[in-house]
Amino acid sequence: MSSPEIASLSWGQMKVKGCSATYKDCKVWPGGSRTWDWRETGTNHSPGVQPADLEEVVEKGVKALVIGRGMSEALQVPPSTVDYLKKNGIDVLVLQTEQAVEEYNALAARGVRVGGLFHSTC
């Protein structure tokens, strides 16, 4: 099963190929996507993305994970979150969201089992 392409990205909205939903923030993995609802784990811009935000995507067997920090990179990603991924043998890229989507799509096009968490504002 391949990772779905991010079909479009603009401030406050993202579309995933093969999905009718428009996301503000989303999680993607091989074979699927869904809204990334920060309220589920109490996520805020600071301290930022926590391992609990990633668990669902990690459980899908990804080999790489791309995190988009927002258009202005306001979303923090603490070292402990990066360490969590590395300890699970997952390559991680943390980038501004437009760059993150480009990298994610490139990895997906190459057939890498890649997942992503993308914040489309701030």
Side-chain angles (χ1 to χ4, degrees), residues 14-34:
M14 301 177 67
K15 297 284 284 176
V16 175
K17 190 172 185 178
C19 180
S20 61
T22 299
Y23 300 116
K24 175 184 166 214
D25 301 313
C26 76
K27 295 182 180 187
V28 290
W29 59 83
S33 66
R34 78 169 182 92

Side-chain angles (χ1 to χ4, degrees), residues 41-60:
T41 57
T43 299
N44 286 299
H45 287 102
S46 180
V49 182
Q50 302 299 305
D53 295 305
L54 310 171
E55 287 174 354
E56 175 182 20
V57 178
V58 168
E59 289 171 359
K60 305 292 184 183

Side-chain angles (χ1 to χ4, degrees), residues 11-99:
W11 184 273
Q13 44 185 318
M14 301 177 67
K15 297 284 284 176
V16 175
K17 190 172 185 178
C19 180
S20 61
T22 299
Y23 300 116
K24 175 184 166 214
D25 301 313
C26 76
K27 295 182 180 187
V28 290
W29 59 83
S33 66
R34 78 169 182 92
T35 293
W36 177 16
D37 183 349
W38 291 17
R39 294 172 295 188
E40 292 173 357
T41 57
T43 299
N44 286 299
H45 287 102
S46 180
V49 182
Q50 302 299 305
D53 295 305
L54 310 171
E55 287 174 354
E56 175 182 20
V57 178
V58 168
E59 289 171 359
K60 305 292 184 183
V62 298
K63 301 298 181 199
L65 195 134
V66 182
I67 301 172
R69 294 188 50 215
M71 300 301 217
S72 302
E73 299 184 86
L75 179 60
Q76 301 300 305
V77 180
S80 59
T81 298
V82 173
D83 290 345
Y84 164 79
L85 291 165
K86 289 181 178 179
K87 285 178 185 169
N88 280 284
I90 298 169
D91 294 330
V92 60
L93 292 170
V94 178
L95 301 163
Q96 185 268 356
T97 295
E98 290 163 311
Q99 295 169 342

